Structure formats: structure tokens, C-alpha cells
Amino acid sequence: MIEFIAHNLAPIMFVSVMAMLLLGYPVAFTLAAGGLFYFVVGVEFSELSPQITLFWNLLGAQPDRVFGIMSNDTLLAVPFFTFMGLVLERSRMAEDLLETIGQLFGPVRGGLGYAAVLVGALLAATTGVVAASVIAMGLISLPIMLRYGYDRSFATGTIAASGTLAQIVPPSLVLIVMADQLGRSVGDMYVGALYPALLMIGLYLLYTFAVTIVRPHAAPALPPEARTLGGGVRSLIAILLAAAIITVVTWYTVFAGFRDEVRDVWAMTTGVGVAYAVALLNRAFGLGLLSRLAQQVVIVLIPPLALIFLVLGTIFLGIATPTEGGAMGATGALVMAFAKGRLSLRVLTQALESTAKLSAFVLFILIGARVFGLTFYGINGNIWIEELLLAIPGDEYGFLIAVSILIFILGCFLDFFEIAFILIPLLAPVAEKLGIDLIWFGVLIGINLQTSFLTPPFGFSLFYLRSIAPTGEWFDKVTGRTLAGVSTPAIYKGALPFILINALMIAIVMAFPGLVTRYKGDVRPPMDPAEFRLQIPTFGGEGGMSLPPLGGTSGSGQTTNDAFGLPPLGLPGTPPGAGPSPDASAPAPPSEGNAPVDLSQPPAFQ
């Protein structure tokens, strides 16, 4: 029995620790305690199994591993982006966006559904926190959708799915942690996730459009009395065209001498800045240049879009690292909140406290994972995982499908931080051994985790929405009517179509990896070592550099002086390039007028 445990300590450790996590024990302490317990067991059993390479002195490496976490520059982006999102969420940016975009799409059937998806994408690109996005949209959009007759399943499913876009839309915290654990650049991970994220947003919008065609009563347009901003779409199109014209003109004239990247930034900044200034002046002085709708759309949408460009644009253009982009985003969020008069000491304190809690949560989980990893690698658990996964039929696609199913199931019970810090370091070496691009692998996992957030009955987004959706009848103060609540089965039913969309998205990314691997750009293929040739120019001889001989004979047998007029050194032999002499075994006679060099004596200078 003891020998059986010693030879199977890796699977026993993995299964027992995962069972403790699924039972709900604190993650950081479970990982650390499990790692230390099995370290002691492994040291005692090391004599019974050659697969166990643990010894007591190995614990001395743990402090260095902890300091390695603390000095990780990549993880600095986590508190920056978290703080940015919390400041924006507490400054009621989501409320402004939902109200404005809802009014913009109000006359269209399914307009509030389109608004929920687009605002979810904007919140994902600014806050990057699923819970904040789902709760904010649920509190603001859900009552309005129920008030105007939206189907409850469609409304709740749209809100829950749109909130989970924060899992895959840059600058997602999931992508930051994933890049760190995979040992890849965060910027590459952002670029790789961009097209799949945009495609997923497009599929959500397409589903909303399909619902308005097949079941128009499930997503009606806003009634005229609810369109408080009125019409004015032409005015909005006019100001957008004016901004585009200013951008193009300044690109070709004012900023013609700048580098392309800087030229693009300043030209777009000028065009958008002029449009924003016109909208502010129109509101302040009542100039009548823009309609109320156009004015509100420009004033509300430009600041968050500018913040997104400040963060992601600078990263994509190579101007800033992700950590620097996060710092600029946090600063920009403070400026936006201050400009709107919503930056109070209470908001700042709450944002700082929540950021500190989340950062400490991530750090402690990572420390626990390092303790777990030290023991697990010491008992060759990584080799056990590798052999187990490589035995899956289907090569790389069989591996990807099996991993997707595993992470989908675990994502229903575990937070993505736990999955990233425990499973990803074990799966990444196998993926790399199979020739799978790790950025592609990370994006697939991100989409998979997003899907698990929506899966009944354990999806986290469904729990967030259930916590704020009315369970029973509620009184609507705007219409003066009593409306029915939202049942839990209705929330589950609404999530199912979006789960299918996410599954389709996983299949698309698997089938077309170029959607992700475009992050490589126009990288030249690596040189084949067999084709590598190093050619050194010849010294002397025909076509060579004709350096002077070292005191021997030239190719014609005559002694020559070098180009600087110095006497030859009188060394025997032939110069390079002259080829072997017919009598190579006989020493060359000393040059005429020069004594032979006696190497046993110190040099004499005349």
C-alpha cells in the first residue's frame, strides 16, 4: 500500500487538492497547505520511489519564488486596470452609456438589446470586470427592458452574456494573467484576442437582429414617449463626417512630417477633439448647431472611447507597455470622473479598497500556487499530466477539445484566477510540445472561461444577475404598473443561445487560428540552419585582401615589404594564400639583409 501511494503520489495530490477547492475551502490556503503537506509526504516516500525528487533543502527555494512574484512587472497591470474599472463604474459611466445608446437605437426594434451588447463591449474595454458590468447593466437596463415589453429570457440572456465580454475583450484581466502564466507578451495576447472579441460582439448583435425578425414581439422598439432625446440622427452623422474630414485633412497637411503612428494619433485626436469641443459649446451656449441626441451621443461616448484608445491604442502601436497603458488608463479614469464632478473621497476610497483586496487576492493565490507547484513538480506531476494529455487521440485538436471540456466544467465551479494559476502552468508545456501557438491557446481558454460564466446552474454571471433581478412582482414608478418578476429558469433559458454562440466561436477560432496568430505580423520565417553559410574573405592570393607576408616568401619566391614600409618579421613558412611550398619540410632561408629571429632572447629595438 505504501509503495502504491509513493508511485502514484502525483495523481493523489492533484485529485485531493482539486476536491478541497470544489468543496469551497479558501483557494490560497488550500494550495499552500496541500503543497506543504505533500512535500512532507514526498520527502518521506522519496526512498521508495525514484520518481520523487524532493528533499528538505528544496524548501529554501520558496522565498526566491515568492520574491519572483513580487518583482513581476506584468502583474502590475492588474491593480491599474482594476482601479480604472472601479472608478468608472462608481462614477456612473455605465448609466450614461446605457441611457444614451438606448436612446440612439430606441426607434429600432431590439434597440435596447443592441444597446446592452454595445455598452457591454465598451464596459469590457474600460472596466474589464465581469461582476461590475453585469450588475451595472442589470440594475439600469433590465427594468427598462421589462417596462417596455421585452421577453424576460431574451433580456436577461443579453445582459448576462454582454457582461461576460469583459473576459475576452482587451484589456481583460483574464488575458493579463493568461499571458503571465503562458510566458508570453500581454501586448501580443491583446492583439491576438482583438479579432475574436470583435467577431463575438458581431455574433451577439446578429443574434439580436435575428430575434427581432423571428420574434418581433420579444424585442419591441421604444415607444415615442420614451424617446426623451428626440430625433436628430442627421445632425449626428454630420458631426461625425466633419470629424472624419478634419482628421484626413490634418493627416495630409498639419502632421505630414510625423511618423505614421504619431501622425494617426494626432490627426484622430484633432478631429475627435473638434467634435467634442463643438458639442460642449453647443450645450453651454445653446448654439443650436447640433440636435440634443447628437450632442448627448458625442459628449457621452467620446470620453470612454478616448480612454479605450489611450489604453489599447498606445499598446497596439507600441508606444506603451500594458503596465504603462494601465497606469495611463487609471489616470484617465480619474480625470473623467473629476470632469463629470463625480470624483468624491468616498468613490476614491471604495475604488482603492476594492483594488487592494483584489490585488491581495491574486497575489496570495499565486503564492499558494507556487508552493503547490514546487511539490507537484518535485514528484514529477508535470510528467504525469504530460503523458496523460499526450495519450489523447487526435493530436493537437484532440488535446484542445479535451482541455476545452475540462476548463468548461471547472469554470462552473472555480474562479478564472484559480484555473489560470493551477491548470495553465501544467497545460502550457504540453501545448507547446504539440506545436500549438500559446497565444492562440490562451485566447481559446479565455473564450471557454467566458462560456463557463454563462452555463447553468453554476455560471457566475447568472448568479450576479439573479442577485439584482426582481424575483416577485414589482411596482414600476414610471408607468405606474405592477410588473411580473424574473424567474431563475427564465435567466437560464436566456443564457442558452449565447452558450451556443460561444461554442460556435470556439470552433471558429480552432478552425481559423489566423484570427489570433495575426499578432505575429509580417514576421520573416526562421532560417534553416542547414542553409546557413559563413563566408570569410581570403587573405592574399588572387582576389584576396593582399596583406603583406610575415617575413616569408611571396608567391613568386621574393621577399616583400608590407604596405607601411616595415621590414618583414622573418618568420619561416609561406604566407597565407600562397599555398604549400614544394619543399615544405625544409626551413625557409632567412631573408637577405635580415638576421634570423631568436625567440629565446628578448626583442631588440633599433
Side-chain angles (χ1 to χ4, degrees):
M1 185 66 181
I2 298 297
E3 293 183 358
F4 174 81
I5 295 175
H7 288 288
N8 295 275
L9 192 59
I12 292 173
M13 175 182 178
F14 184 80
V15 171
S16 60
V17 171
M18 292 302 295
M20 297 293 286
L21 292 176
L22 295 177
L23 289 174
Y25 285 92
V27 179
F29 302 113
T30 301
L31 291 175
L36 290 175
F37 173 77
Y38 281 102
F39 186 91
V40 175
V41 174
V43 171
E44 296 299 327
F45 285 0
S46 59
E47 297 181 358
L48 300 176
S49 174
Q51 298 175 349
I52 300 176
T53 58
L54 295 176
F55 50 94
W56 292 115
N57 291 338
L58 195 60
L59 281 177
Q62 192 57 45
D64 290 336
R65 294 165 65 86
V66 173
F67 281 116
I69 298 170
M70 297 170 65
S71 60
N72 190 335
D73 292 338
T74 302
L75 293 178
L76 273 177
V78 172
F80 284 138
F81 284 118
T82 303
F83 180 76
M84 177 183 76
L86 291 171
V87 169
L88 294 175
E89 185 256 332
R90 283 167 171 75
S91 61
R92 303 198 304 276
M93 183 189 72
E95 181 179 345
D96 295 339
L97 288 173
L98 284 167
E99 180 182 354
T100 302
I101 298 181
Q103 290 292 323
L104 178 62
F105 288 94
V108 182
R109 279 187 305 185
L112 293 178
Y114 295 128
V117 174
L118 294 175
V119 171
L122 288 173
L123 291 177
T126 49
T127 63
V129 181
V130 173
S133 299
V134 173
I135 291 174
M137 290 198 299
L139 289 173
I140 300 165
S141 289
L142 187 57
I144 300 174
M145 294 174 118
L146 298 179
R147 178 183 305 148
Y148 295 112
Y150 272 68
D151 180 80
R152 280 161 172 73
S153 295
F154 172 72
T156 54
T158 303
I159 291 173
S162 301
T164 59
L165 288 171
Q167 293 283 89
I168 194 63
V169 174
S172 164
L173 297 182
V174 175
L175 299 179
I176 296 174
V177 174
M178 203 75 67
D180 175 69
Q181 294 301 300
L182 291 172
R184 292 296 183 265
S185 164
V186 178
D188 288 345
M189 188 68 76
Y190 282 174
V191 175
L194 182 61
Y195 278 9
L198 292 176
L199 183 57
M200 184 173 292
I201 294 168
L203 290 176
Y204 284 5
L205 294 173
L206 185 62
Y207 169 72
T208 303
F209 176 74
V211 169
T212 61
I213 299 298
V214 178
R215 300 167 56 209
H217 63 279
L222 283 180
E225 63 271 13
R227 304 170 196 169
T228 57
L229 294 180
V233 177
R234 291 181 180 179
S235 176
L236 176 61
I237 295 174
I239 190 66
L240 293 178
L241 284 175
I245 292 171
I246 293 172
T247 299
V248 173
V249 170
T250 54
W251 195 88
Y252 281 104
T253 57
V254 179
F255 306 112
F258 291 77
R259 282 189 302 115
D260 286 346
E261 294 85 356
V262 179
R263 195 177 179 185
D264 294 340
V265 171
W266 282 110
M268 287 189 289
T269 302
T270 303
V272 173
V274 169
Y276 190 65
V278 169
L280 289 177
L281 292 173
N282 187 75
R283 184 177 67 175
F285 299 103
L287 301 178
L289 298 175
L290 300 174
S291 64
R292 287 184 60 205
L293 178 64
Q295 171 186 295
Q296 185 73 3
V297 168
V298 171
I299 292 176
V300 170
L301 282 184
I302 283 183
L305 290 175
L307 183 63
I308 292 171
F309 177 77
L310 178 67
V311 175
L312 296 181
T314 53
I315 295 173
F316 290 162
L317 293 174
I319 300 173
T321 65
T323 302
E324 294 166 347
M328 290 191 296
T331 305
L334 290 173
V335 172
M336 282 179 55
F338 178 78
K340 292 184 178 182
R342 298 172 181 173
L343 183 62
S344 62
L345 181 61
R346 180 171 173 268
V347 168
L348 189 60
T349 302
Q350 289 179 346
L352 287 172
E353 286 181 354
S354 299
T355 302
K357 289 179 181 178
L358 180 64
S359 301
F361 170 74
V362 172
L363 187 63
F364 270 92
I365 290 180
L366 192 49
I367 291 174
R370 288 297 175 90
V371 178
F372 174 85
L374 179 68
T375 303
F376 196 67
Y377 279 76
I379 60 177
N380 284 333
N382 58 319
I383 298 176
W384 170 69
I385 292 284
E386 182 176 320
E387 291 176 350
L388 187 66
L389 294 175
L390 289 177
I392 297 173
D395 293 332
E396 62 179 30
Y397 286 101
F399 167 77
L400 289 174
I401 293 172
V403 168
S404 297
I405 295 173
L406 174 65
I407 291 180
F408 176 79
I409 296 173
L410 291 178
C412 298
F413 304 96
L414 302 179
D415 191 75
F416 80 89
F417 284 118
E418 302 158 14
I419 293 175
F421 292 146
I422 300 171
L423 284 184
I424 301 305
L426 300 176
L427 299 175
V430 183
E432 196 166 20
K433 193 168 185 177
L434 289 171
I436 297 173
D437 184 273
L438 291 185
I439 298 293
W440 179 40
F441 184 59
V443 172
L444 280 171
I445 292 177
I447 300 174
N448 211 316
L449 287 172
Q450 179 188 357
T451 308
S452 66
F453 265 61
L454 288 171
T455 306
F458 304 108
F460 289 114
S461 291
L462 307 182
F463 285 139
Y464 299 146
L465 189 58
R466 175 70 281 172
S467 67
I468 51 96
T471 54
E473 293 184 349
W474 60 285
F475 180 74
D476 182 24
K477 297 180 181 179
V478 176
T479 60
R481 294 182 298 150
T482 300
L483 302 176
V486 180
S487 64
T488 301
I491 296 177
Y492 291 168
K493 179 182 175 182
L496 292 178
F498 292 96
I499 294 173
L500 295 177
I501 292 175
N502 283 20
L504 174 63
M505 193 65 220
I506 293 174
I508 291 174
V509 175
M510 278 190 187
F512 303 99
L515 288 170
V516 176
T517 55
R518 59 175 292 277
Y519 78 92
K520 297 179 180 179
D522 298 327
V523 179
R524 297 178 62 184
M527 180 179 289
D528 185 1
E531 299 177 357
F532 182 75
R533 296 289 185 273
L534 180 63
Q535 185 174 0
I536 302 176
T538 58
F539 293 93
E542 185 176 356
M545 297 179 67
S546 300
L547 293 180
L550 298 178
T553 58
S554 67
S556 60
Q558 301 294 325
T559 304
T560 57
N561 294 329
D562 66 8
F564 300 100
L566 296 176
L569 296 179
L571 296 178
T574 58
S581 62
D583 189 9
S585 60
S591 301
E592 186 176 349
N594 293 288
V597 178
D598 187 359
L599 298 179
S600 65
Q601 301 296 325
F605 299 94
Q606 298 179 355

